[in-house]
Amino acid sequence: MRSIAKVFLVVPLLGVLASSTAFAADHTVLMNGDYFGNMFFDPPTITVNVGDRVRWSNVTTVIHTATRGSDCLPDGGFNTGSINPGAFSAYVTFSAISTATYYCRFHCEMGMTGEIVVQQAPVKTQSTTWGRIKALYTPAK
C-alpha cells in the first residue's frame, strides 16, 4: 500500500515538472535592412513566454549585433556579439517576466532597435471528474 501512495505522490509531481517546460518555444528575430540604408529588427517587438528562447538571424550583407540596453548603451544583459551575414546568434533564454530593449551596436543611430516582452506562460489545466478519481481506486477485474 505504501508503494501505491508513493506513486500517487510522485506521478503528479512529474507532471508538474514536465508541464513547466512543455510550453517553452523557440523564436527567431531577423536582422534586416534595405538598399536605402534602413536597418531594422523584424519583428521590432516580439512577445514571448517565460522560458522561451530567442535567437537572431542576420539576413543582410553587413554585420549586426543584438545588445540589450537603451539609448545605444548596453545595460549588462544579453549580447549576441557580432553576427556575420547569413549567420545565427546563440539562443537567449528569457526566464523572468520583463521587457527587454535592445539595439544593434553598429546601427543603433540608424534606428535599429527592438523589444522583447516576456509574459507569464499560460497554465495548462485538465478537468478531473469524480469518475476518473474513482477509477484509480477500483480493483482491476
Side-chain angles (χ1 to χ4, degrees):
M1 189 65 174
R2 289 185 119 184
S3 62
I4 292 174
K6 288 179 186 176
V7 169
F8 284 114
L9 293 174
V10 172
V11 170
L13 179 60
L14 291 175
V16 168
L17 293 175
S19 68
S20 66
T21 58
F23 288 107
D26 293 338
H27 306 272
T28 300
V29 174
L30 301 179
M31 300 166 141
N32 214 331
D34 60 27
Y35 295 107
F36 303 108
N38 297 315
M39 298 291 173
F40 53 92
F41 292 104
D42 183 20
T45 300
I46 184 171
T47 301
V48 301
N49 294 325
V50 171
D52 285 3
R53 302 185 316 166
V54 176
R55 70 177 178 173
W56 287 263
S57 172
N58 186 349
V59 297
T60 67
T61 58
V62 296
I63 296 173
H64 292 293
T65 71
T67 305
R68 184 176 169 151
S70 59
D71 299 323
C72 301
L73 296 172
D75 67 5
F78 64 83
N79 183 354
T80 62
S82 295
I83 302 172
N84 291 320
F88 290 90
S89 72
Y91 280 102
V92 175
T93 302
F94 293 87
S95 56
I97 296 172
S98 63
T99 298
T101 57
Y102 63 95
Y103 62 95
C104 173
R105 188 177 74 208
F106 304 118
H107 305 105
C108 184
E109 286 81 19
M110 297 172 73
M112 190 169 185
T113 61
E115 181 178 71
I116 299 173
V117 178
V118 185
Q119 65 184 9
Q120 182 61 47
V123 177
K124 183 179 178 183
T125 60
Q126 179 178 353
S127 63
T128 302
T129 63
W130 176 245
R132 285 186 184 178
I133 295 170
K134 193 169 137 181
L136 293 173
Y137 295 100
T138 303
K141 293 182 182 181

